[in-house]
Amino acid sequence: CDDREGGIENRSLARMAISMMAIMQPNGTEPHVVEVVPVTTVVINGVVEMTGITDFFDQSFATLFEVLGAQGVTMTGPPFALYHSPPSDVADLEVGVPITGPFRPDLGVETSGLPGGRIARMVHEGAYEQLGSSWERLGAWIGEHGLTFGEAAWEVYLTEPTPEMDPAELRTELNWSVS
């Protein structure tokens, strides 16, 4: 198969993984703590002005799927964004997908990982534009429960956005490392 077919196959697998994650997800809209294991990922890093974040996501995920398809590497879960610092006018982040097996860095795609350990988690229901209020809610919950904020914070995109979908149907898992 050519690169394009591999990319299409990988996107189909991604949709299936995203659908399964959404089905298996408990009612996670309320903050809670979970223990997670580290996950190997492939990512594209960027320091991006917030006004250009949508284009960065679109271009990065297109490149990720192209490279994974060309190498025959399979995603093992839904796409994510890991923030290296709290976003302001600029976001320092990596966007990627979890994988298993060998991978060769290419076209700016490199290996990375999501951390393991204690994570405060909740699921945001609705448009990406309202994610800030859900992050604030999760942060308040962490403080109210006497937990210490860790350095890692990431979003997992449980539903795949499409132009025709109602933004209220989007589900985004918020994760913040805690101790």
Side-chain angles (χ1 to χ4, degrees):
C1 82
D2 68 16
D3 293 354
R4 188 174 177 139
E5 288 173 358
I8 290 169
E9 180 180 317
N10 228 328
R11 282 191 291 277
S12 295
L13 290 170
R15 284 187 198 101
M16 186 171 59
I18 291 167
S19 296
M20 291 303 296
M21 289 291 292
I23 290 168
M24 297 179 340
Q25 193 67 248
N27 182 7
T29 57
E30 292 303 314
H32 57 284
V33 174
V34 295
E35 290 281 338
V36 298
V37 297
V39 175
T40 301
T41 64
V42 292
V43 301
I44 293 179
N45 285 286
V47 177
V48 183
E49 291 187 26
M50 291 303 287
T51 57
I53 197 116
T54 300
D55 290 337
F56 175 74
F57 273 73
D58 290 346
Q59 293 167 1
S60 295
F61 284 123
T63 301
L64 279 162
F65 293 137
E66 175 187 341
V67 170
L68 292 175
Q71 294 188 26
V73 176
T74 302
M75 296 173 41
T76 59
F80 68 89
L82 173 70
Y83 294 89
H84 297 290
S85 61
S88 56
D89 293 340
V90 174
D92 180 2
L93 74 162
E94 56 188 58
V95 297
V97 295
I99 65 160
T100 58
F103 173 78
R104 292 179 319 279
D106 190 19
L107 298 177
V109 180
E110 57 191 49
T111 57
S112 187
L114 291 173
R118 284 183 80 190
I119 305 296
R121 173 179 287 167
M122 67 175 280
V123 174
H124 166 80
E125 297 179 336
Y128 296 137
E129 292 78 18
Q130 283 94 43
L131 278 168
S133 62
S134 290
W135 277 111
E136 288 174 10
R137 180 172 163 223
L138 182 58
W141 184 87
I142 291 169
E144 290 165 5
H145 286 80
L147 301 170
T148 302
F149 293 91
E151 292 183 17
W154 69 96
E155 301 167 347
V156 177
Y157 306 107
L158 301 175
T159 51
E160 181 180 7
T162 61
E164 65 277 353
M165 85 180 308
D166 178 354
E169 295 175 8
L170 291 169
R171 300 293 177 267
T172 307
E173 180 185 88
L174 308 183
N175 296 278
W176 205 329
S177 61
V178 293
S179 57

